[in-house]
Amino acid sequence: IVKKIDDFHNYVSVGRKLSKMHVGYETVDPYPVFFKKYGLKIQNVIDPKSFYRVNKMKFIGKRPNLDKTTVIYNSNITIQKIPIEAYDYIVGGKSALEWVMERQSVKIDKASGIQNDANDYANDSDNPAYPLKLFQRVITISIETNKLVNSLPELEID
Protein backbone atom coordinates (compact mmCIF):
# COMPACT_ATOMS: atom_id res chain seq x y z
CA ILE A 1 0.00 0.00 0.00
CA VAL A 2 1.42 3.36 -1.06
CA LYS A 3 1.70 5.69 1.97
CA LYS A 4 0.45 8.90 0.30
CA ILE A 5 -2.70 9.05 -1.82
CA ASP A 6 -1.14 11.70 -4.08
CA ASP A 7 1.78 9.37 -4.80
CA PHE A 8 -0.68 6.59 -5.62
CA HIS A 9 -2.53 8.82 -8.10
CA ASN A 10 0.80 9.86 -9.62
CA TYR A 11 1.78 6.20 -10.15
CA VAL A 12 -1.63 5.46 -11.69
CA SER A 13 -1.35 8.43 -14.05
CA VAL A 14 2.17 7.57 -15.18
CA GLY A 15 1.20 3.90 -15.56
CA ARG A 16 -1.68 4.82 -17.85
CA LYS A 17 0.54 7.06 -19.97
CA LEU A 18 3.17 4.32 -20.25
CA SER A 19 0.65 1.63 -21.18
CA LYS A 20 -1.01 3.86 -23.80
CA MET A 21 2.36 4.70 -25.34
CA HIS A 22 3.75 1.14 -25.29
CA VAL A 23 0.60 -0.60 -26.51
CA GLY A 24 0.09 2.04 -29.19
CA TYR A 25 3.77 2.19 -30.20
CA GLU A 26 2.91 2.25 -33.91
CA THR A 27 1.04 5.54 -33.48
CA VAL A 28 3.85 7.30 -31.59
CA ASP A 29 5.53 10.08 -33.56
CA PRO A 30 8.87 8.98 -35.03
CA TYR A 31 11.75 10.84 -33.40
CA PRO A 32 13.09 13.49 -35.82
CA VAL A 33 16.59 12.14 -36.41
CA PHE A 34 19.03 13.61 -38.93
CA PHE A 35 19.74 11.56 -42.04
CA LYS A 36 23.19 11.89 -43.55
CA LYS A 37 22.72 13.09 -47.16
CA TYR A 38 19.03 13.95 -46.61
CA GLY A 39 18.76 16.14 -43.51
CA LEU A 40 15.62 15.73 -41.42
CA LYS A 41 13.42 14.17 -44.11
CA ILE A 42 13.98 11.65 -46.88
CA GLN A 43 12.12 12.66 -50.04
CA ASN A 44 11.61 11.57 -53.65
CA VAL A 45 12.31 7.85 -53.26
CA ILE A 46 11.80 6.13 -56.62
CA ASP A 47 11.96 2.49 -55.45
CA PRO A 48 11.01 2.42 -51.74
CA LYS A 49 11.37 -1.37 -51.36
CA SER A 50 15.03 -1.35 -52.31
CA PHE A 51 15.79 2.09 -50.84
CA TYR A 52 14.53 1.17 -47.33
CA ARG A 53 15.63 -2.48 -47.38
CA VAL A 54 17.55 -3.29 -44.21
CA ASN A 55 19.90 -6.24 -43.77
CA LYS A 56 21.59 -5.32 -40.50
CA MET A 57 21.77 -1.99 -38.71
CA LYS A 58 25.09 -1.19 -37.07
CA PHE A 59 26.83 1.52 -35.10
CA ILE A 60 29.71 3.60 -36.40
CA GLY A 61 33.09 2.63 -34.95
CA LYS A 62 34.50 -0.48 -33.36
CA ARG A 63 34.13 -1.88 -29.85
CA PRO A 64 34.74 -0.47 -27.30
CA ASN A 65 34.47 2.91 -29.08
CA LEU A 66 31.07 2.62 -30.76
CA ASP A 67 29.33 5.86 -31.64
CA LYS A 68 25.73 5.15 -30.65
CA THR A 69 24.57 8.55 -31.88
CA THR A 70 24.99 7.25 -35.44
CA VAL A 71 23.52 4.07 -36.94
CA ILE A 72 24.12 2.81 -40.45
CA TYR A 73 20.67 1.60 -41.48
CA ASN A 74 21.69 0.50 -44.97
CA SER A 75 23.87 1.77 -47.84
CA ASN A 76 21.34 4.56 -48.54
CA ILE A 77 20.56 5.72 -45.02
CA THR A 78 22.76 6.70 -42.10
CA ILE A 79 20.84 7.90 -39.04
CA GLN A 80 22.63 10.64 -37.09
CA LYS A 81 22.09 12.68 -33.94
CA ILE A 82 20.39 9.87 -32.01
CA PRO A 83 20.11 11.11 -28.41
CA ILE A 84 22.41 8.98 -26.26
CA GLU A 85 19.80 8.99 -23.45
CA ALA A 86 17.54 6.91 -25.71
CA TYR A 87 19.79 3.96 -24.90
CA ASP A 88 19.02 4.28 -21.18
CA TYR A 89 15.69 2.47 -21.55
CA ILE A 90 16.71 -1.14 -20.92
CA VAL A 91 14.59 -4.20 -21.72
CA GLY A 92 15.93 -7.64 -20.86
CA GLY A 93 19.51 -6.45 -20.35
CA LYS A 94 19.91 -4.25 -23.43
CA SER A 95 18.47 -1.03 -24.73
CA ALA A 96 15.18 -1.14 -26.60
CA LEU A 97 16.96 0.45 -29.57
CA GLU A 98 19.51 -2.35 -29.68
CA TRP A 99 16.64 -4.87 -29.63
CA VAL A 100 15.14 -3.15 -32.67
CA MET A 101 18.51 -3.13 -34.42
CA GLU A 102 18.88 -6.85 -33.76
CA ARG A 103 15.35 -7.87 -34.72
CA GLN A 104 14.80 -5.62 -37.74
CA SER A 105 17.26 -7.47 -39.93
CA VAL A 106 17.64 -10.42 -42.22
CA LYS A 107 18.73 -13.66 -40.53
CA ILE A 108 18.96 -17.26 -41.65
CA ASP A 109 18.51 -19.97 -39.04
CA LYS A 110 21.54 -22.26 -39.22
CA ALA A 111 19.68 -25.43 -38.29
CA SER A 112 16.64 -25.08 -40.54
CA GLY A 113 17.86 -22.66 -43.21
CA ILE A 114 14.70 -20.61 -42.74
CA GLN A 115 15.13 -16.94 -43.52
CA ASN A 116 13.64 -14.35 -41.18
CA ASP A 117 13.41 -11.07 -43.10
CA ALA A 118 11.97 -7.94 -41.43
CA ASN A 119 11.52 -6.45 -44.88
CA ASP A 120 8.86 -9.05 -45.72
CA TYR A 121 6.45 -7.63 -43.13
CA ALA A 122 7.30 -4.06 -44.17
CA ASN A 123 6.67 -4.75 -47.84
CA ASP A 124 3.58 -6.92 -47.27
CA SER A 125 2.02 -4.09 -45.26
CA ASP A 126 2.90 -1.65 -48.06
CA ASN A 127 5.22 0.26 -45.74
CA PRO A 128 8.83 -0.41 -46.82
CA ALA A 129 10.10 2.21 -44.34
CA TYR A 130 8.54 0.32 -41.38
CA PRO A 131 11.86 -0.83 -39.80
CA LEU A 132 13.25 2.71 -40.02
CA LYS A 133 10.09 4.30 -38.60
CA LEU A 134 9.99 1.66 -35.85
CA PHE A 135 13.55 2.58 -34.87
CA GLN A 136 12.57 6.27 -34.75
CA ARG A 137 9.44 5.50 -32.71
CA VAL A 138 11.44 3.48 -30.21
CA ILE A 139 13.75 6.48 -29.75
CA THR A 140 10.68 8.55 -28.82
CA ILE A 141 9.28 5.81 -26.57
CA SER A 142 12.63 5.27 -24.82
CA ILE A 143 13.12 8.95 -24.04
CA GLU A 144 9.52 9.48 -22.92
CA THR A 145 9.49 6.29 -20.82
CA ASN A 146 12.58 7.38 -18.93
CA LYS A 147 11.16 10.89 -18.39
CA LEU A 148 7.93 9.46 -16.98
CA VAL A 149 9.63 6.89 -14.75
CA ASN A 150 12.10 9.47 -13.46
CA SER A 151 9.22 11.84 -12.65
CA LEU A 152 7.74 9.39 -10.16
CA PRO A 153 8.12 10.07 -6.44
CA GLU A 154 10.15 7.63 -4.37
CA LEU A 155 7.95 4.65 -3.60
CA GLU A 156 6.98 4.61 0.05
CA ILE A 157 4.86 1.65 1.09
CA ASP A 158 3.33 0.40 4.33
Side-chain angles (χ1 to χ4, degrees):
I1 299 173
V2 178
K3 283 186 178 182
K4 301 176 197 162
I5 191 69
D6 289 344
D7 288 353
F8 173 77
H9 290 298
N10 203 346
Y11 275 89
V12 169
S13 174
V14 167
R16 285 188 175 136
K17 289 175 187 174
L18 287 170
S19 66
K20 181 179 179 184
M21 181 174 49
H22 286 249
V23 170
Y25 69 94
E26 289 184 320
T27 63
V28 171
D29 289 334
Y31 190 85
V33 294
F34 188 85
F35 299 104
K36 186 178 180 182
K37 292 194 236 179
Y38 303 100
L40 290 173
K41 190 171 183 182
I42 298 171
Q43 298 177 11
N44 303 326
V45 176
I46 295 168
D47 180 7
K49 287 184 180 180
S50 63
F51 183 83
Y52 289 108
R53 181 169 179 73
V54 62
N55 287 314
K56 183 178 182 180
M57 293 183 233
K58 58 185 175 184
F59 295 115
I60 294 285
K62 296 186 188 252
R63 292 193 186 276
N65 299 315
L66 295 175
D67 175 6
K68 292 187 175 186
T69 66
T70 302
V71 169
I72 299 171
Y73 177 83
N74 64 19
S75 62
N76 299 316
I77 301 169
T78 299
I79 308 165
Q80 297 179 310
K81 299 183 182 180
I82 300 165
I84 202 69
E85 64 268 18
Y87 294 96
D88 292 340
Y89 176 52
I90 305 297
V91 179
K94 70 173 89 167
S95 75
L97 284 176
E98 290 171 297
W99 279 109
V100 172
M101 289 174 69
E102 182 180 298
R103 299 289 189 250
Q104 295 298 307
S105 64
V106 177
K107 291 183 182 174
I108 298 174
D109 182 72
K110 291 178 184 174
S112 67
I114 295 173
Q115 178 175 290
N116 183 7
D117 187 343
N119 301 287
D120 289 344
Y121 173 77
N123 293 329
D124 289 348
S125 62
D126 201 29
N127 186 5
Y130 180 83
L132 175 61
K133 294 299 180 192
L134 176 63
F135 186 82
Q136 290 178 263
R137 285 183 173 100
V138 172
I139 293 172
T140 301
I141 290 167
S142 297
I143 291 170
E144 293 304 313
T145 295
N146 284 333
K147 280 183 191 175
L148 286 168
V149 169
N150 291 333
S151 77
L152 290 169
E154 185 176 329
L155 180 61
E156 296 179 48
I157 54 175
D158 281 332

